[in-house]
Amino acid sequence: MCSTVSLSALLAIAPAKAQDGSTSLEEIDVIGTTPIGGDGLDRDKVPSAVTSVTQSDFSGVSQRSVSEAIARKTPSVSLADVQGNPYFKDFYFRGFVASPLNGTPQGIAVYQNGVRQNEAFGDTVNFDLIPEVAIDRADVFTNNPVFGLNALGGALNIKMKNGFTYQGLETEFLAGSFGKYSGNAQWGQQFGNWSAYLALEGERDGGWRDFSNSNVKRLYGDIGYKGDAAEIHFNVSLADTHLGVVGPTPQELLDRDGRKAVYTGPQTTDNKAAQFNLTGQFDLSNAWSLQTNAYYRRFKQSHVDGNDTDVRLCEDPVLAAAGNLCLEADDIIDPATGTNPDDDDPRLIVRDKNGNPVVAPAGFEDRPGSIERSWTKSQTVGGTAQATNTNELWGKTNHFVVGVSYDHGWTDFRGNSELGIIPDDLQVDGTGDIYHTTIPGGILPTDVKTRNDYLGIYASNTLDVTDRLSATIGARLNYAHISLKDFSPFVNYSDEAMTIPAGSGIDGKHNFTRFNPMAGVTYKITPETTAYASYSETNRAPTPLELACADPSNPCQLEGFLVSDPPLKQVVTRTGEIGLRGHTTPGFGGLLNWKVGGYFAYNNNDILTIPSFITGRGYFRNAGDTQRAGVELSADYQTDTWGMYANYSYIDATFRSNVTLGSPNSPSANGAGEINVRKGDHLPAIPEHQAKIGVAWRPVPKLTLGADVVIMSSQYLVGDESNQERKLKGYAVFNANASWQVTDQIRVFGLIDNVFNQRYATYGTFYDNDDIEFLNLSGSRSITPARPRGAYVGVGYKFTADAAPVLVTKN
């Protein structure tokens, strides 16, 4: 993870010098407290922790992803590299996740210029589609129901640049290890009451592991108008990415063949997105203002996943002699009986799209494989209208916000399976045989259309009870309507035992409603120190993906196939938070900002992903209650020549219910492939202890040197929710960088990631070691290894004469 941060930006919060030489306090920092923003509340009156990342933290192509830039200094944020791609990482905040991976329960709401970025089908968040160089700021909020669905752990609100906030023309280029090279350019200009802004980005990463190359292209543009009482913007965001996602690999295979090795493939994800957004801010009077937006978003994804398969020659001698293939009976449960079907059950026979039995292709018997493909096309339209009032209430300063938002999305999802043969490099070669079985819980092609309607009505009010005490109350009413319609190409056979009913149980309509309150207070103990406390409730509705894949007897190809829709309950989170924050000017100069806080977040009816006996398949279920509780400490110190930060987070993420979960590949699983989770067991994939430390030093005006370390403690593997197995090791990764301002326009810089070439992983799970027999594997642990040491050099050119030196602090 790397970034370049301008010294001027880091020093923007430093104390100002009055004309008499004394130190004066910084100006009041105001912040938008809703997805659309524009309400401008004094940050110190927000009764919860808020972390802001400014445009300097996103400067240039030295970042690999938006999520890495935000994680650089934000407490309680960690990244999990599930798929082995720098643009495709899970973003954890306080133990809740925003992930690009379908099937991951999403607990963070993400917005770009007021537009919801959680995609309509699975609430996924694709950070690779957000134009990084065009980001003006990103605010990480904690407990605030105003941010709507998915804000269980918090919300990430991203605001983009425009021609009023950025003027000039600059470019930057970078190249380095693993075939990485990238470039960007941005231009902004104000023409009286009008402005224009345009940003272009292109990146290529060859990937340090086999078959893990990526290509990223992004564009962002904005046209704005600002008058005495109105500001209007029309902005466009376009992105086209190709990501090689190689996924976890058996630890035994990595030890034997090297850390570049991958397990099965091809694994690729191709994303395309186009977003058009019209925003407006209007001063209606001295006290009233109106904020609005209306948008259209289109998202397309094509996913390819090569795997081993549970398809083999049928055990029936007659069928086997004919070369017919069957799905292994031991890997499925017949929903009619609750047991494994007989080996000669005709519903297990693998068939083509016309219902004819498939004959084993040449070479398939020795190296059976499968390629799963899925296509998602989502479109979303919506908007928000919000009013802000700053009239006094009972003679006291008051800040009132009320708004309504509506999002309507429709998705077309398709998926199928193709037989394949696994060669020595484990990249499955397709045979062209698209196949399915007729037994529920088997392999089925899918064509499903879904509709989402999300309506939110919210209000919040902050009253200055005294000149030190401010009280906030607020609430949001969420309504979600989700419908699913099955258009899958099922075939009805003459034999009743082999009939697939039309619709296969996916058709359905679901409604969810929740009123979420919040309340909090802030108190200025001194002009430099503020205490805060708050309580809030938030919720998320099950996604169309989860609703259509909630039957353990009909598991889905995760990232793929939908088969049935038993009802799921919505998840409700209750959060409490207390803390202190402040700033001071030490006797030796500079400015020290600091924060300390604690929180708890209790989830009712948490939805988890449960793996199935069938390789690569799973389902979703409400799995009782869970809790995240923790402590956060952070500080940063700035002078004219130094910039330093340090933060520490403790996250205790646990189950609060006894529950039995499926985990067939865990060594601790019983004969039914289940593990018994006890109240108090820790949630997997969440490091309990996290620390980040960074320093930047400018010894001479044109030279900046920087270094940082990221420290994460051990974590339980996904699939070890019962906490019986050895944990994934913790790690400490050091990085270094340097920047030289050659002229006012030209800057050169160099970066070294993972200076000491630490061998570590951020994600681990279990796998079935006998699925690919010729590998002769015996272990059960599978991990995604992190990148080794990499070196990069870059050059930036600014076409104006006032280019400032940059202070590089990377993480």
Side-chain angles (χ1 to χ4, degrees):
M1 312 175 194
C2 21
S3 71
T4 59
V5 182
S6 72
L7 180 61
S8 58
L10 283 172
L11 298 181
I13 57 174
K17 293 290 185 178
Q19 291 182 354
D20 60 2
S22 62
T23 300
S24 63
L25 294 177
E26 58 182 318
E27 295 183 1
I28 294 176
D29 184 9
V30 297
I31 189 170
T33 59
T34 69
I36 198 171
D39 54 302
L41 179 66
D42 180 355
R43 178 192 294 267
D44 221 19
K45 296 179 183 179
V46 177
S48 60
V50 182
T51 301
S52 296
V53 182
T54 64
Q55 61 179 266
S56 297
D57 294 292
F58 296 98
S59 68
V61 291
S62 49
Q63 286 294 343
R64 285 199 193 93
S65 70
V66 171
S67 59
E68 288 180 342
I70 297 170
R72 190 180 67 89
K73 293 172 63 177
T74 306
S76 296
V77 172
S78 62
L79 301 178
D81 192 1
V82 181
Q83 295 289 1
N85 186 286
Y87 306 96
F88 206 80
K89 294 184 178 182
D90 286 358
F91 180 93
Y92 280 87
F93 176 55
R94 291 185 170 182
F96 296 86
V97 65
S99 171
L101 190 64
N102 268 327
T104 302
Q106 309 288 335
I108 301 173
V110 180
Y111 293 88
Q112 178 186 317
N113 276 4
V115 178
R116 180 177 162 88
Q117 299 298 294
N118 299 84
E119 302 294 352
F121 184 56
D123 286 345
T124 54
V125 179
N126 295 281
F127 288 101
D128 60 298
L129 301 177
I130 300 176
E132 178 188 336
V133 72
I135 295 176
D136 185 59
R137 64 182 289 155
D139 298 312
V140 183
F141 289 87
T142 55
N143 55 325
N144 192 338
V146 168
F147 284 91
L149 296 173
N150 296 97
L152 306 183
L156 174 59
N157 202 17
I158 298 173
K159 298 297 182 184
M160 311 300 284
K161 297 175 184 175
N162 59 63
F164 297 123
T165 61
Y166 174 91
Q167 287 96 40
L169 172 62
E170 58 185 310
T171 62
E172 191 169 275
F173 301 92
L174 176 142
S177 300
F178 316 118
K180 177 179 176 64
Y181 56 86
S182 57
N184 67 47
Q186 59 177 327
W187 167 80
Q189 188 66 50
Q190 181 175 349
F191 309 93
N193 291 347
W194 293 85
S195 72
Y197 176 83
L198 180 65
L200 302 170
E201 294 179 304
E203 304 186 27
R204 182 193 183 281
D205 192 311
W208 75 275
R209 295 177 68 192
D210 297 335
F211 312 107
S212 62
N213 63 295
S214 298
N215 288 283
V216 176
K217 294 173 285 186
R218 295 182 289 233
L219 177 149
Y220 180 82
D222 181 280
I223 296 175
Y225 170 83
K226 182 187 292 186
D228 292 336
E231 182 171 351
I232 301 171
H233 290 270
F234 176 74
N235 48 73
V236 178
S237 184
L238 306 174
D240 185 347
T241 66
H242 169 82
L243 310 177
V245 287
V246 291
T249 298
Q251 180 71 66
E252 187 178 354
L253 187 64
L254 295 172
D255 293 340
R256 188 177 72 189
D257 297 345
R259 290 172 66 82
K260 290 186 176 182
V262 299
Y263 189 43
T264 57
Q267 293 190 60
T268 61
T269 296
D270 290 276
N271 290 328
K272 291 181 174 63
Q275 178 175 298
F276 305 89
N277 187 25
L278 179 65
T279 67
Q281 297 189 47
F282 308 92
D283 294 332
L284 305 180
S285 69
N286 290 335
W288 282 99
S289 62
L290 177 68
Q291 298 84 37
T292 64
N293 85 323
Y295 74 90
Y296 167 78
R297 178 176 175 82
R298 182 183 179 94
F299 169 69
K300 296 177 66 175
Q301 182 177 83
S302 174
H303 183 74
V304 178
D305 189 4
N307 289 299
D308 47 42
T309 183
D310 296 311
V311 173
R312 297 292 190 275
L313 277 178
C314 297
E315 293 192 10
D316 180 276
V318 175
L319 294 175
N324 292 150
L325 298 172
C326 291
L327 183 65
E328 290 187 327
D330 292 342
D331 290 328
I332 63 173
I333 301 295
D334 186 342
T337 63
T339 61
N340 297 117
D342 294 332
D343 291 331
D344 59 355
D345 192 320
R347 297 175 300 170
L348 293 170
I349 297 174
V350 170
R351 301 178 180 274
D352 63 21
K353 63 181 180 180
N354 297 314
N356 301 313
V358 174
V359 177
F364 180 84
E365 293 181 51
D366 297 326
R367 299 196 173 193
S370 179
I371 299 178
E372 321 292 347
R373 293 184 176 88
S374 64
W375 298 267
T376 305
K377 182 172 70 174
S378 294
Q379 299 179 77
T380 313
V381 295
T384 300
Q386 171 184 292
T388 301
N389 179 267
T390 56
N391 274 326
E392 289 188 349
L393 182 63
W394 303 314
K396 306 289 187 180
T397 301
N398 193 66
H399 182 273
F400 173 71
V401 179
V402 61
V404 57
S405 68
Y406 174 70
D407 302 276
H408 172 68
W410 60 103
T411 300
D412 185 357
F413 175 86
R414 296 181 295 117
N416 63 37
S417 297
E418 178 188 0
L419 291 177
I421 298 171
I422 303 179
D424 290 341
D425 66 2
L426 307 185
Q427 300 299 294
V428 181
D429 295 322
T431 64
D433 298 293
I434 304 299
Y435 71 98
H436 67 275
T437 61
T438 63
I439 190 168
I443 311 294
L444 299 174
T446 302
D447 186 351
V448 176
K449 291 179 172 54
T450 70
R451 298 291 185 270
N452 314 59
D453 288 284
Y454 298 147
L455 174 67
I457 303 172
Y458 61 89
S460 68
N461 192 87
T462 300
L463 175 68
D464 287 357
V465 181
T466 71
D467 58 351
R468 292 190 176 189
L469 177 65
S470 298
T472 299
I473 59 172
R476 177 167 175 139
L477 176 66
N478 287 327
Y479 169 75
H481 173 76
I482 300 169
S483 63
L484 304 98
K485 184 66 178 176
D486 191 357
F487 294 88
S488 301
F490 298 117
V491 178
N492 293 317
Y493 305 107
S494 57
D495 186 339
E496 291 184 1
M498 295 159 44
T499 299
I500 306 174
S504 189
I506 292 179
D507 292 3
K509 295 182 180 180
H510 308 263
N511 297 291
F512 303 91
T513 305
R514 188 67 164 69
F515 179 80
N516 294 317
M518 67 91 65
V521 295
T522 62
Y523 183 77
K524 274 193 171 294
I525 301 172
T526 70
E528 294 83 19
T529 305
T530 300
Y532 62 86
S534 61
Y535 170 81
S536 72
E537 298 181 9
T538 51
N539 77 297
R540 82 170 181 91
T543 68
L545 170 63
E546 292 167 338
L547 289 168
C549 185
D551 187 348
S553 65
N554 286 304
C556 308
Q557 170 67 31
L558 298 182
E559 284 281 80
F561 297 65
L562 315 182
V563 289
S564 62
D565 67 338
L568 291 173
K569 298 178 181 179
Q570 61 184 333
V571 183
V572 176
T573 302
R574 295 170 173 87
T575 301
E577 184 170 359
I578 60 173
L580 291 168
R581 57 185 172 231
H583 57 85
T584 184
T585 53
F588 44 84
L591 176 68
L592 175 66
N593 292 281
W594 58 271
K595 292 186 293 186
V596 56
Y599 65 91
F600 77 89
Y602 196 94
N603 276 20
N604 291 114
N605 299 315
D606 213 351
I607 296 175
L608 300 181
T609 307
I610 311 298
S612 164
F613 265 112
I614 301 180
T615 300
R617 294 179 181 262
Y619 58 96
F620 301 93
R621 61 167 285 194
N622 291 113
D625 299 342
T626 62
Q627 177 180 281
R628 285 83 165 164
V631 175
E632 296 169 346
L633 308 171
S634 66
D636 65 78
Y637 174 68
Q638 308 294 336
T639 72
D640 291 338
T641 56
W642 286 94
M644 291 172 280
Y645 68 86
N647 64 64
Y648 165 78
S649 305
Y650 169 72
I651 303 174
D652 183 39
T654 58
F655 289 91
R656 308 313 300 167
S657 304
N658 296 325
V659 61
T660 299
L661 301 176
S663 185
N665 296 324
S666 169
S668 301
N670 59 25
E674 297 174 333
I675 56 176
N676 294 315
V677 179
R678 301 155 299 178
K679 180 180 179 179
D681 283 342
H682 286 83
L683 296 170
I686 302 171
E688 194 172 11
H689 302 276
Q690 306 178 10
K692 304 166 189 176
I693 303 170
V695 60
W697 176 45
R698 193 171 67 191
V700 296
K702 292 188 176 184
L703 176 64
T704 303
L705 305 175
D708 72 84
V709 59
V710 177
I711 304 169
M712 296 286 166
S713 67
S714 59
Q715 58 184 276
Y716 288 101
L717 274 66
V718 173
D720 186 25
E721 286 78 5
S722 61
N723 299 174
Q724 299 297 303
E725 302 302 317
R726 177 168 48 91
K727 298 168 75 173
L728 188 67
K729 291 182 179 179
Y731 58 88
V733 179
F734 290 82
N735 310 288
N737 55 75
S739 176
W740 178 259
Q741 196 73 40
V742 181
T743 70
D744 287 344
Q745 287 78 39
I746 300 174
R747 175 177 64 91
V748 296
F749 57 92
L751 314 162
I752 302 177
D753 286 340
N754 195 1
V755 172
F756 300 110
N757 207 26
Q758 177 77 15
R759 297 164 69 94
Y760 69 101
T762 61
Y763 179 84
T765 187
F766 302 109
Y767 76 105
D768 189 349
N769 56 42
D770 63 1
D771 274 345
I772 304 181
E773 297 178 359
F774 68 85
L775 289 178
N776 297 315
L777 300 175
S778 59
S780 60
R781 296 168 69 88
S782 184
I783 67 169
T784 306
R787 284 200 173 206
R789 180 171 50 232
Y792 310 90
V793 295
V795 58
Y797 187 86
K798 191 169 185 178
F799 290 84
T800 57
D802 58 349
V806 291
L807 179 62
V808 179
T809 61
K810 90 173 195 33
N811 188 29

